[in-house]
Amino acid sequence: MIRSQEGAGDQPADPRLGQIVEGIVRIAAGNLASRIPVSSARDQVDAVSTGINLLAAELDDMYQDMEQRVESRTLELREAHQQVQRMALSDPLTGLSNRIDLMQQVQQSLTDWDGRESAPAVLMIDLDGFKEINDSFGHKAGDLVLQDVAARLLASVPEESVVARLGGDEFAVLLPGVSRLSALAAAERIQAALGVRTVLEGLDIWPRASIGVHLAESGQSAEDLLLRADTAMYKAKEDGPGLVRLFEPVMLYARQLRREMASDLRNAIERNEFRLAFQPVVDLVTGKMQGAEVLLRWDHPTQGLVMPDIFIPLAEESGAILGIGRWVMRSALEQLAAWRAAGQDQDGFHIRVNVSPSQLQSMDLADYARAQLRETGAAPRDLILEITESAFVGSGDVETYSMRSLKALGVRLEIDDFGTGYSSISYLRRLPVDTVKVDRALIAEISRDEGQLQFVDAVHRLIQAAGMEAVFEGIETLQQAELLQEMGCCSGQGYYFSRPLTAEQVGTLLASGSRLPLATELLA
Ligand code: C2E
Ligand code: CA
Ligand code: CA
């Protein structure tokens, strides 16, 4: 289109053509701001230059616009990335650090530590009784409490600390450089801050926690620190609610033992290490054995006899309780059948089997009971299931389903350890329950404490008024037995009448029809 008119006589080439070529080269090279000069001639050549300039300007605009968009998109992406990173490092419910962040920070503080006396310390904090809050008041209330606890923690620790929520009701604090004393003092401050009573959406709240403390020692990794603080926390929890414990190496050993025991529990059934003991439940007036509570015993290959208070919680934690619970129910019903086959059984004799909360949470408890009753030929009335008060209080749909199905089957249900939980009689009345076993703590002092005696009397009346029967456990003395009898209580169990017995001993007792307590130690 534009050509220099070479050979067109002696007319010199238009200098603007050269400028146009140079301009195009500049623009093509990316210099979109460059322009081709336009002469005052306003002829066709100028028109071409103006056209090219306009094109360049348009390109320039477009380009700048694009650049801006790329820039703002990059910014957006960067922000999103940062947010993802923040989210990956924080706990969404409380906004505290999460485990990953805590680990990184502990790692960092260990790297920064010069090995001197003030060292990084980790406080492991686990709320006491949080499950009950969740179970009784719902998860929304639980979340509120967790947020409140987070705020209390943040407010009570030194500024340079890292506060994290590790999941559930478990929190941790990193103190980057402290002495042993100030680490303990920090833990006590946290206890004090948690203990302040507040009202949250109508709920009275004063959380308590078990706190484990560990101060770094040279050569320890972040994992070591957390494990030791956690082990100390476990010990604190074991010793009672609201306590602080400093890590000691022996605690690791205890933890290891617990671990081993938990894993041994998995094989205990097939290795035939469990056996059942039976504690008579007697008629307080006649001393006649009405039935027996089935109590599990574990003959551990190296540790000898292990009592259920030790291993049932471990079995609950690991889930092994489901298999164990089935074994207990089956074996107890088989034993009942064996007493019957030997003609030792008496009219109305029943067995009481303890059922753990997680068994109640499994859908097939009633089906399993039905099948076992059928296979052993026992009647549903021969079986009473003892369920702790706390399992009832936390009951949801599955538990209600289990209880209703068991009731429909004709099995009797009993609230165990009554008086230790949060339930009121009016609440329990709505449950499909036949009997209430009053916890031994309630009667422990009745022969010394008149007020306690009256209290137990009132509890007994309430149970009766609710249309349920009461059974008293932990009767250790004649006096206690007489006082309860005077109150009109009918059933009881305890060392005064009999310790837990072997199946053979119960068989002998049943066959002889003896009254309890036995005058002499016939059972020894
Ligand atoms: P629990 O259901 O309250 O059982 C009563 C416990 O009190 C038994 O301890 C029994 O030996 C003890 N005891 C009986 N009479 C007296 C007395 O006069 N004074 C005192 N101080 N104690 C007395 P054990 O056998 O060690 O059982 C402890 C707990 O372990 C039971 O408490 C129950 O919650 C649980 N448990 C036992 N067997 C089973 C089982 O098969 N399944 C489940 N889930 N839990 C079980
Ligand atoms: Ca019981
Ligand atoms: Ca009990």
Side-chain angles (χ1 to χ4, degrees):
M1 191 171 62
I2 305 160
R3 245 185 289 132
S4 79
Q5 297 179 344
E6 260 176 286
D10 45 359
Q11 260 192 355
D14 189 332
R16 291 178 301 173
L17 292 178
Q19 288 173 340
I20 287 177
V21 172
E22 280 165 24
I24 289 176
V25 169
R26 282 197 307 275
I27 291 164
N31 183 0
L32 295 180
S34 112
R35 294 291 177 268
I36 298 164
V38 178
S39 76
S40 52
R42 306 268 179 232
D43 57 8
Q44 270 188 324
V45 176
D46 282 326
V48 170
S49 300
T50 308
I52 292 173
N53 282 344
L54 281 172
L55 207 66
E58 219 165 279
L59 274 175
D60 195 19
D61 280 354
M62 247 168 66
Y63 191 75
Q64 273 182 17
D65 188 47
M66 226 157 71
E67 228 173 19
Q68 250 169 23
R69 270 194 283 171
V70 167
E71 212 168 282
S72 74
R73 188 83 192 107
T74 312
L75 215 69
E76 273 171 32
L77 282 173
R78 192 174 303 143
E79 268 169 20
H81 179 70
Q82 279 169 349
Q83 185 159 3
V84 167
Q85 253 182 340
R86 266 199 305 276
M87 269 162 51
L89 293 177
S90 72
D91 164 48
L93 180 67
T94 59
L96 297 178
S97 293
N98 65 9
R99 185 182 289 272
I100 300 169
D101 190 31
L102 179 78
M103 285 304 271
Q104 286 175 1
Q105 308 250 22
V106 172
Q107 192 66 61
Q108 190 56 50
S109 71
L110 283 171
T111 313
D112 296 344
W113 181 39
D114 51 13
R116 266 191 275 187
E117 201 177 318
S118 78
V122 172
L123 274 50
M124 200 63 86
I125 303 159
D126 194 281
L127 300 186
D128 297 324
F130 180 71
K131 192 177 171 306
E132 276 86 45
I133 296 179
N134 245 350
D135 288 346
S136 316
F137 305 108
H139 287 270
K140 237 182 102 202
D143 285 355
L144 274 179
V145 171
L146 292 174
Q147 285 166 338
D148 181 57
V149 166
R152 291 180 193 219
L153 288 177
L154 278 173
S156 59
V157 297
E159 215 168 287
E160 65 281 6
S161 327
V162 179
V163 182
R165 175 168 169 246
L166 305 182
D169 59 346
E170 205 183 4
F171 296 83
V173 172
L174 163 69
L175 305 166
V178 286
S179 69
R180 186 170 298 224
L181 269 183
S182 30
L184 281 173
E188 293 300 346
R189 260 200 313 282
I190 288 173
Q191 290 289 23
L194 291 180
V196 176
R197 207 173 179 129
T198 49
V199 177
L200 267 184
E201 307 215 336
L203 283 181
D204 229 354
I205 289 171
W206 64 104
R208 279 209 289 187
S210 299
I211 305 183
V213 182
H214 179 59
L215 210 67
E217 288 160 21
S218 63
Q220 288 179 341
S221 66
E223 285 84 12
D224 291 339
L225 249 69
L226 261 73
L227 173 74
R228 281 162 176 72
D230 190 54
T231 304
M233 184 278 289
Y234 216 100
K235 181 73 172 75
K237 188 141 285 213
E238 222 174 59
D239 290 350
L243 295 177
V244 175
R245 288 286 176 268
L246 193 65
F247 172 78
E248 289 166 35
V250 63
M251 293 174 185
L252 268 188
Y253 178 66
R255 185 187 178 115
Q256 180 63 24
L257 268 186
R258 250 194 326 265
R259 281 248 175 97
E260 281 168 14
M261 208 178 249
S263 98
D264 291 346
L265 259 183
R266 292 181 194 289
N267 309 313
I269 292 182
E270 62 201 58
R271 291 192 186 148
N272 223 359
E273 291 168 359
F274 285 131
R275 60 185 165 84
L276 298 180
F278 302 86
Q279 186 177 37
V281 174
V282 304
D283 180 323
L284 288 179
V285 179
T286 63
K288 179 178 181 252
M289 181 159 58
Q290 299 173 320
E293 177 175 6
V294 177
L295 296 164
L296 189 56
R297 301 288 179 258
W298 183 17
D299 289 316
H300 190 275
T302 56
Q303 302 198 29
L305 177 63
V306 186
M307 297 302 274
D309 279 337
I310 305 283
F311 69 81
I312 294 284
L314 289 178
E316 291 261 9
E317 257 172 49
S318 72
I321 190 70
L322 291 180
I324 294 174
R326 285 176 165 225
W327 184 88
V328 171
M329 189 187 291
R330 180 183 184 83
S331 310
L333 286 168
E334 281 172 353
Q335 183 55 58
L336 184 65
W339 284 321
R340 290 199 170 153
Q344 296 167 318
D345 180 29
Q346 287 176 355
D347 218 20
F349 181 79
H350 64 256
I351 50 169
R352 310 169 102 92
V353 172
N354 290 288
V355 168
S356 87
S358 17
Q359 282 177 275
L360 207 59
Q361 272 166 19
S362 77
M363 293 292 286
D364 59 356
L365 178 63
D367 287 339
Y368 187 77
R370 183 183 298 114
Q372 296 311 311
L373 287 168
R374 199 175 44 228
E375 278 177 34
T376 56
R381 278 199 73 75
D382 297 340
L383 182 62
I384 297 183
L385 298 182
E386 299 193 358
I387 304 167
T388 56
E389 196 183 342
S390 54
F392 279 108
V393 174
S395 58
D397 292 344
V398 183
E399 287 92 337
T400 310
Y401 168 82
S402 287
M403 289 189 272
R404 296 244 156 87
S405 319
L406 288 164
K407 276 308 288 181
L409 180 61
V411 165
R412 282 177 285 172
L413 300 181
E414 174 173 276
I415 300 162
D416 200 356
D417 302 339
F418 181 74
T420 54
Y422 298 81
S423 45
S424 62
I425 295 268
S426 62
Y427 170 75
L428 297 176
R429 214 160 83 169
R430 282 180 263 139
L431 298 169
V433 166
D434 307 272
T435 56
V436 177
K437 191 182 272 185
V438 179
D439 193 74
R440 61 172 167 276
L442 263 71
I443 65 152
E445 296 296 326
I446 51 170
S447 41
R448 280 180 288 270
D449 181 344
E450 178 66 24
Q452 188 65 19
L453 184 67
Q454 281 166 5
F455 176 66
V456 171
D457 188 31
V459 168
H460 180 226
R461 281 167 207 270
L462 275 171
I463 293 171
Q464 284 183 317
M468 297 184 274
E469 271 176 49
V471 182
F472 289 81
E473 68 173 5
I475 303 173
E476 294 184 348
T477 65
L478 171 64
Q479 259 179 318
Q480 286 172 326
E482 282 174 349
L483 286 169
L484 289 169
Q485 198 188 325
E486 280 162 22
M487 253 180 230
C489 306
C490 301
S491 309
Q493 72 186 99
Y495 294 164
Y496 168 67
F497 294 104
S498 168
R499 299 233 162 208
L501 307 173
T502 64
E504 294 71 50
Q505 289 172 321
V506 173
T508 312
L509 261 183
L510 279 172
S512 69
S514 309
R515 310 282 135 153
L516 291 168
L518 295 177
T520 50
E521 238 354 313
L522 289 180
L523 296 163

